[in-house]
Amino acid sequence: MSGIIEQKKQVVDEITEKFRASQTSVVVDYRGLDVAEVTELRKQLREAGIDFKVYKNSMARRAVEAAELNELSDVLVGPTALAFSNDDVVAPARILNDFAKKHEALEIKGGVIEGKVATLDQIKELADLPNYEGMVSMLLSVLTAPVRNFAYATKAIAEQKEEQGA
């Protein structure tokens, strides 16, 4: 009997550590998805480096308490799966939100963003943000805009002087 309890403690410790180590954790209800849909979802998440797993709610609640994320206990009812991302803050929210748009059976319940419990609305806002490469691209376009505009202005002045001189 003590072996089973020890295994459960290890699972709780594993979940607790995942909550603490992850940039973003998202809690979803997968009830109604068929095997092919769950397999497709797991594949998309795995390709993005996201750990997606189904845990018993009782163990997840204990882990949430140990990680001091007690507000998350309310959403740990019914069939629940957890997605953890250690690297990309946006990826799990974006992938799960996009998948939920195509498959109504998947429901995002809530999550944790950088150690703070997040509401469903906050998760959806996060999902609408571009990924890292998109943000870098936006930043570079903003940084190069003044130089590009200066070049256009210089070219226009040069062309104008050419026309006047000709």
Side-chain angles (χ1 to χ4, degrees):
M1 189 69 171
S2 65
I4 294 171
I5 293 172
E6 197 59 39
Q7 287 175 340
K8 288 182 180 183
K9 284 182 182 179
Q10 288 176 351
V11 171
V12 169
D13 290 344
E14 173 189 327
I15 302 168
T16 303
E17 185 53 38
K18 285 182 180 185
F19 271 119
R20 288 183 178 151
S22 66
Q23 292 284 322
T24 305
S25 307
V26 181
V27 180
V28 296
D29 181 346
Y30 60 93
R31 181 182 11 208
L33 293 177
D34 63 28
V35 174
E37 292 169 333
V38 172
T39 302
E40 178 188 342
L41 177 60
R42 286 181 187 272
K43 180 179 179 260
Q44 290 177 19
L45 292 169
R46 192 177 326 108
E47 287 172 354
I50 299 164
D51 184 22
F52 183 73
K53 200 164 181 184
V54 176
Y55 292 103
K56 290 184 79 169
N57 286 335
S58 59
M59 290 186 202
R61 276 192 211 98
R62 285 193 176 103
V64 162
E65 288 172 16
E68 298 176 6
L69 302 166
N70 295 328
E71 301 90 24
L72 201 59
S73 291
D74 299 340
V75 298
L76 295 172
V77 292
T80 303
L82 301 168
F84 299 99
S85 176
N86 294 347
D87 302 323
D88 192 345
V89 177
V90 178
R94 187 178 22 45
I95 292 169
L96 290 167
N97 192 46
D98 291 348
F99 197 85
K101 287 177 184 175
K102 295 175 190 166
H103 304 89
E104 291 180 14
L106 184 73
E107 176 192 349
I108 298 174
K109 296 179 173 183
V112 179
I113 302 171
E114 294 184 341
K116 306 237 185 305
V117 175
T119 64
L120 178 61
D121 292 334
Q122 290 170 323
I123 296 290
K124 291 195 177 190
E125 281 179 34
L126 183 64
D128 292 336
L129 291 175
N131 62 7
Y132 177 78
E133 289 81 16
M135 286 188 207
V136 169
S137 173
M138 288 174 161
L139 176 65
L140 290 176
S141 70
V142 167
L143 292 175
T144 59
V147 174
R148 184 176 49 238
N149 292 341
F150 178 71
Y152 288 143
T154 306
K155 182 179 177 188
I157 292 171
E159 289 175 354
Q160 185 180 27
K161 288 193 179 206
E162 249 180 49
E163 288 176 12
Q164 288 175 355

